[in-house]
Amino acid sequence: MPPNYVPPVKDMPSMDSVSQINGYESWNSEMLADYFEKHGLGDYREVIMYHRITGKIAPQLTDSDLKDMGVKIVGDRCRFRHLLKALGRKARSVQRNKLIWGGAERVFFGKLDWCVGTCVGLCPVDPSTYKLTNNHLRIRTVEPVRVGPIRLCCCAKYSTNNIDLTHVDDLDTEGVPAPCLQKCFCCADGKEILEVSTNEGDFNVIVREGDGDRVSNLIMNQVEECQMIERD
């Protein structure tokens, strides 16, 4: 047999779907070895376990690491790299979509304007919603149809903006106190409006009074992190 002979490799199953490897970061060495064995690399089961390679570590393995571990057959190293790329795609997907904060629009100050605005709950409110991930701030804005002070529960307009945090220029906070009567007699809380300025326009995040600083700090921390990564 020629010294550079590479055994024929059977067709590998497609690993384009990250759902096939959901939760891989929590795999121990044995579970990772099961994964590789399922995809035709069972000969290296003991090697994976000996070197204590876990699901969290696996995407960091390089071709040099595989050689050091004793994977000498070029075809097998190619198979490992193919599978490791799938794990890497999943790692990036999880990181991008990791939820940092989620919330809903603070629509009413208290029970009094809730009763008026929803006709005592007969017209339930559909608030705007917010989701902050590592890379984006997703704002689903609801523009309700009103009859006087009442927000109708139908015919509302919806829009969704996925704001790239690298495009955020500034974030300002404005406090809106509850009306005096509601505050005195209903213990109503105010609102805080976070105005997110980007090169594509300004967007508002409306939260309960007292939550503004926490939410703005979370957003700005992610903005600084994203912009620092982009500069690097």
Side-chain angles (χ1 to χ4, degrees), residues 56-73:
K56 190 172 183 179
I57 295 173
Q60 303 173 35
L61 289 176
T62 64
D63 192 68
S64 177
D65 293 329
L66 293 171
K67 288 180 182 178
D68 291 343
M69 290 166 56
V71 184
K72 298 180 180 180
I73 299 175

Side-chain angles (χ1 to χ4, degrees), residues 32-56:
L32 183 66
D34 289 340
Y35 169 74
F36 285 127
E37 183 174 9
K38 181 180 178 182
H39 291 86
L41 295 168
D43 290 344
Y44 302 98
R45 180 181 183 84
E46 297 301 324
V47 173
I48 295 295
M49 297 176 66
Y50 175 78
H51 288 279
R52 301 177 184 175
I53 307 299
T54 64
K56 190 172 183 179

Side-chain angles (χ1 to χ4, degrees), residues 97-124:
N97 298 316
K98 181 180 178 181
L99 184 65
I100 305 297
W101 170 78
E105 175 190 5
R106 174 72 168 170
V107 178
F108 303 111
F109 290 105
K111 291 292 185 182
L112 178 60
D113 59 342
W114 175 84
C115 289
V116 174
T118 65
C119 198
V120 198
L122 295 177
C123 297

Side-chain angles (χ1 to χ4, degrees), residues 18-214:
V18 296
S19 62
Q20 296 183 26
I21 51 176
N22 189 36
Y24 78 92
E25 285 188 318
S26 63
W27 293 353
N28 57 28
S29 297
E30 185 175 358
M31 295 168 69
L32 183 66
D34 289 340
Y35 169 74
F36 285 127
E37 183 174 9
K38 181 180 178 182
H39 291 86
L41 295 168
D43 290 344
Y44 302 98
R45 180 181 183 84
E46 297 301 324
V47 173
I48 295 295
M49 297 176 66
Y50 175 78
H51 288 279
R52 301 177 184 175
I53 307 299
T54 64
K56 190 172 183 179
I57 295 173
Q60 303 173 35
L61 289 176
T62 64
D63 192 68
S64 177
D65 293 329
L66 293 171
K67 288 180 182 178
D68 291 343
M69 290 166 56
V71 184
K72 298 180 180 180
I73 299 175
V74 175
D76 285 350
R77 289 206 302 273
C78 290
R79 290 169 68 84
F80 267 113
R81 288 200 301 272
H82 176 79
L83 296 171
L84 289 171
K85 282 181 180 179
L87 292 177
R89 284 196 299 271
K90 177 61 178 177
R92 291 190 295 273
S93 176
V94 169
Q95 191 66 15
R96 280 196 305 269
N97 298 316
K98 181 180 178 181
L99 184 65
I100 305 297
W101 170 78
E105 175 190 5
R106 174 72 168 170
V107 178
F108 303 111
F109 290 105
K111 291 292 185 182
L112 178 60
D113 59 342
W114 175 84
C115 289
V116 174
T118 65
C119 198
V120 198
L122 295 177
C123 297
V125 68
D126 186 11
S128 300
T129 56
Y130 319 110
K131 290 184 179 180
L132 175 66
T133 63
N134 278 320
N135 298 317
H136 291 85
L137 174 61
R138 183 176 185 271
I139 300 179
R140 177 180 177 270
T141 303
V142 180
E143 299 179 16
V145 176
R146 295 178 181 271
V147 177
I150 300 175
R151 295 166 55 119
L152 298 184
C153 56
C154 60
C155 304
K157 294 182 180 179
Y158 302 89
S159 62
T160 300
N161 292 284
N162 283 302
I163 302 170
D164 187 332
L165 296 180
T166 61
H167 297 163
V168 173
D169 300 321
D170 194 15
L171 192 155
D172 296 316
T173 304
E174 177 187 358
V176 181
C180 185
L181 289 178
Q182 290 195 51
K183 189 168 186 177
C184 292
F185 295 103
C186 301
C187 300
D189 294 322
K191 305 176 185 179
E192 293 187 25
I193 302 174
L194 311 182
E195 186 176 298
V196 183
S197 300
T198 74
N199 55 11
E200 298 178 355
D202 297 337
F203 303 91
N204 289 336
V205 175
I206 304 173
V207 297
R208 179 191 295 270
E209 182 180 28
D211 287 345
D213 284 345
R214 180 178 66 87

